[in-house]
Amino acid sequence: MKKKALLIAAALTGLCSALPAAAQFQKPEDAVKYRKAAFTVMASHFGRIGAMAQGRIPFDGAAAAANAEVVADMSKLPYAGFVEGTSGTEKGQPKPNVWSERPKFDAAAKKMQDEVAKLAAAAKTNNLDQLKAAFGSAANSCKACHDDFRNP
Ligand code: ASC
């Protein structure tokens, strides 16, 4: 009996991990809300680093590092919210090629996640030049995906 229970538990675990990301959301609109929220938080913290990189506010290494940490953590979240049937034609909405070219989209997402991880590492050096360089690369990785997959 104990063994049977274990087998059932194992089977359920396998089933759960095989469920698509869409299963996390009750409705497509919930997925859209979720991914937009994640990007909004990311953009806010990324923007604070940008203000330092561009000299609009004084450089503060500890603040840069804290913000970059949030950006790197948040970068992992939005993609589960890109569920089928949530493309659109309005400004800012994802184009249908997010789904028709999913491997390319996933690669662009991964590139951004890698760049913001490097930004977090650069921010820890407390060196403004390194922060500026890493910020530029990260911003380019955001823009590349917007150019290809987001309605202007
Ligand atoms: C930002 C922000 C983005 C990127 C992008 C870079 O600060 O909110 O989406 O940088 O504009 O080109």
Side-chain angles (χ1 to χ4, degrees):
M1 189 60 198
K2 215 172 170 190
K3 195 175 168 195
K4 195 176 172 195
L6 276 174
L7 281 174
I8 291 169
L12 283 174
T13 305
L15 181 68
C16 291
S17 57
L19 286 174
Q24 296 178 22
F25 303 103
Q26 300 262 340
K27 306 184 292 263
E29 304 87 82
D30 292 345
V32 172
K33 218 188 215 179
Y34 174 89
R35 74 187 184 219
K36 285 170 85 170
F39 280 130
T40 297
V41 173
M42 240 180 102
S44 174
H45 290 268
F46 191 64
R48 296 177 208 183
I49 301 168
M52 286 183 214
Q54 290 153 11
R56 283 182 279 119
I57 60 171
F59 174 56
D60 174 341
N67 284 311
E69 204 67 46
V70 175
V71 173
D73 286 342
M74 293 306 296
S75 75
K76 297 168 191 156
L77 302 183
Y79 297 98
F82 283 85
V83 300
E84 289 273 2
T86 58
S87 67
T89 53
E90 283 168 33
K91 184 179 182 321
Q93 288 185 317
K95 295 178 188 168
N97 66 335
V98 166
W99 293 274
S100 63
E101 297 182 283
R102 191 72 196 211
K104 189 179 163 195
F105 178 72
D106 290 343
K110 171 80 165 55
K111 170 78 177 154
M112 180 277 287
Q113 290 165 334
D114 290 348
E115 293 300 337
V116 298
K118 287 186 207 163
L119 175 63
K124 286 195 185 111
T125 65
N126 199 30
N127 176 303
L128 181 56
D129 287 333
Q130 291 208 34
L131 184 75
K132 281 183 184 173
F135 177 82
S137 300
N140 285 340
S141 72
C142 300
K143 185 177 184 300
C145 199
H146 296 165
D147 288 349
D148 289 343
F149 294 104
R150 187 177 74 163
N151 285 299

